[in-house]
Amino acid sequence: MFDHIAFDTPYQTLALPCSIQLTVKRLDLIHPQISGNKFFKLKYNFFAAQQQGLRQILTFGGAYSNHIAATAYAAQLVGFQSIGIIRGEELSTQDLNPTLQTAQDFGMQLHFVSRAEYRLRHESEYLQQLQGQYPQAFIIPEGGTNTLAIQGTQEILTSEDKENYDVICCAVGTGGTIAGLIESSSEQQQVLGFSALKGDFLQHDIQQWTTKNNWTLTDAYCCGGYAKTTDELLQFMQQFEQRYAIPLEQVYTAKMMMGLFDLIQQNHFPANTRILAIHTGGLQGRFQT
Ligand SMILES: *Cc1c(COP(=O)(O)O)cnc(C)c1O
């Protein structure tokens, strides 16, 4: 499953005016619209569904969820049905944004629910009720992060990646991607996460998925919170794209890259540090500039 998706990802090393070597692993090139990291997160979930004889995937997300778009795409690719439980009843009467439009175009049934109902998404009683309603559905949690997802994100780093770099960076939403990177990283590597959200809770979430401690997480570049932006961020994004010809988006990858450039400028990393930044994609949710 997903075998025909090229996982031999291109790398791009950026010319920086210092001794730091910064290489971008372009998971965004796995698909023009679907976030590259999501294929890794979905892979073993889809396997598990198939093993249980289920051909329907049900999952949860907000209006800007790249996980929703990715699940819709992956489901269509392998001939599964997909159902998205979407936060916000009011959205049902509005034009779909690009993320939800993408999901619907890939055949996902969108169910808009109230914020009160959406809050129940982790409650076992609510999940049982949904399972009763959709007996053929394999349920994946919001953001797609579970044990099976982390089994998949451990496959992002190749054995060369584990040898050739000192620091691995990624953008963090639910923590499933960074957890896999941490689990698969080598001992001498540091994994650095740039949170797209504000708050300490993610630190605890990630700790639940790993026993290793060669990692740090910062929310210093979250620009006020999830899907929030600042003029500085948008300006950085535009300049970065012009200079390096690598598209970013404002929810995840631009925040990571802005943070990374800031740390490099502050001499946070020792001379000659070799950094691998994972470009997770997400470009269907990009601001059109
Ligand atoms: C979902 C997503 C992330 C965050 O992944 P998590 O596993 O939820 O931390 C990062 N970047 C992009 C582009 C994404 O779509």
Side-chain angles (χ1 to χ4, degrees):
M1 213 182 296
F2 309 141
D3 280 347
H4 45 300
I5 294 168
F7 275 3
D8 52 333
T9 313
Y11 295 78
Q12 195 166 336
T13 297
L14 310 187
L16 297 183
C18 60
S19 71
I20 302 293
Q21 182 203 309
L22 174 55
T23 301
V24 182
K25 182 159 180 157
R26 301 278 314 265
L27 296 188
D28 60 307
L29 294 176
I30 290 177
H31 188 276
Q33 291 180 306
I34 301 306
S35 300
N37 63 329
K38 301 300 190 284
F39 287 110
F40 293 90
K41 295 178 76 171
L42 290 170
K43 179 177 170 183
Y44 291 104
N45 278 289
F46 275 63
F47 273 132
Q50 197 175 43
Q51 271 171 358
Q52 292 173 28
L54 303 174
R55 299 181 59 81
Q56 210 176 47
I57 302 288
L58 182 148
T59 192
F60 306 85
Y64 298 97
S65 168
N66 293 335
H67 162 67
I68 285 288
T71 303
Y73 175 76
Q76 191 182 63
L77 201 63
V78 296
F80 283 19
Q81 289 181 334
S82 63
I83 300 155
I85 308 290
I86 311 297
R87 177 179 54 224
E89 272 170 322
E90 74 284 358
L91 297 173
S92 65
T93 57
Q94 297 171 8
D95 286 345
L96 297 178
N97 70 21
T99 299
L100 295 179
Q101 188 63 54
T102 301
Q104 194 176 61
D105 291 347
F106 289 131
M108 182 176 266
Q109 282 178 50
L110 301 176
H111 287 295
F112 297 98
V113 301
S114 67
R115 282 168 172 71
E117 179 171 342
Y118 194 81
R119 239 172 267 132
L120 302 173
R121 67 194 177 281
H122 303 300
E123 305 282 334
S124 58
E125 219 171 294
Y126 178 65
L127 291 170
Q128 266 166 25
Q129 180 203 319
L130 277 175
Q131 193 71 79
Q133 234 171 311
Y134 301 100
Q136 289 305 309
F138 182 89
I139 300 180
I140 300 178
E142 177 187 55
T145 291
N146 56 15
T147 311
L148 292 166
I150 292 163
Q151 188 184 342
T153 55
Q154 289 185 45
E155 295 177 2
I156 292 175
L157 294 182
T158 63
S159 45
E160 289 82 19
D161 295 341
K162 292 173 208 175
E163 281 182 12
N164 296 343
Y165 299 95
D166 309 303
V167 177
I168 310 289
C169 292
C170 75
V172 178
T174 61
T177 303
I178 194 172
L181 293 173
I182 296 165
E183 283 297 281
S184 63
S185 65
S186 55
E187 260 168 46
Q188 71 278 11
Q189 289 182 317
Q190 279 292 320
V191 182
L192 176 54
F194 293 89
S195 183
L197 307 79
K198 209 177 172 132
D200 288 339
F201 66 96
L202 258 177
Q203 187 87 23
H204 303 287
D205 287 355
I206 296 167
Q207 261 154 15
Q208 290 177 351
W209 300 112
T210 183
T211 52
K212 295 169 75 172
N213 48 25
N214 60 333
W215 59 279
T216 47
L217 180 73
T218 174
D219 70 355
Y221 304 96
C222 75
C223 301
Y226 183 69
K228 298 222 167 86
T229 61
T230 59
D231 289 345
E232 189 197 1
L233 178 74
L234 299 179
Q235 214 167 46
F236 171 85
M237 187 169 135
Q238 204 178 21
Q239 282 170 359
F240 179 91
E241 290 178 347
Q242 274 168 6
R243 187 163 306 162
Y244 301 109
I246 299 175
L248 300 174
E249 46 65 58
Q250 70 284 353
V251 180
Y252 292 105
T253 50
K255 291 179 181 180
M256 168 189 72
M257 211 51 97
M258 184 171 76
L260 193 49
F261 270 60
D262 189 50
L263 292 177
I264 290 172
Q265 208 150 37
Q266 287 179 34
N267 294 318
H268 173 83
F269 303 105
N272 303 311
T273 301
R274 300 162 305 169
I275 303 172
L276 183 66
I278 310 296
H279 190 320
T280 37
L283 297 171
Q284 102 281 330
R286 181 169 177 265
F287 273 167
Q288 299 307 318
T289 46

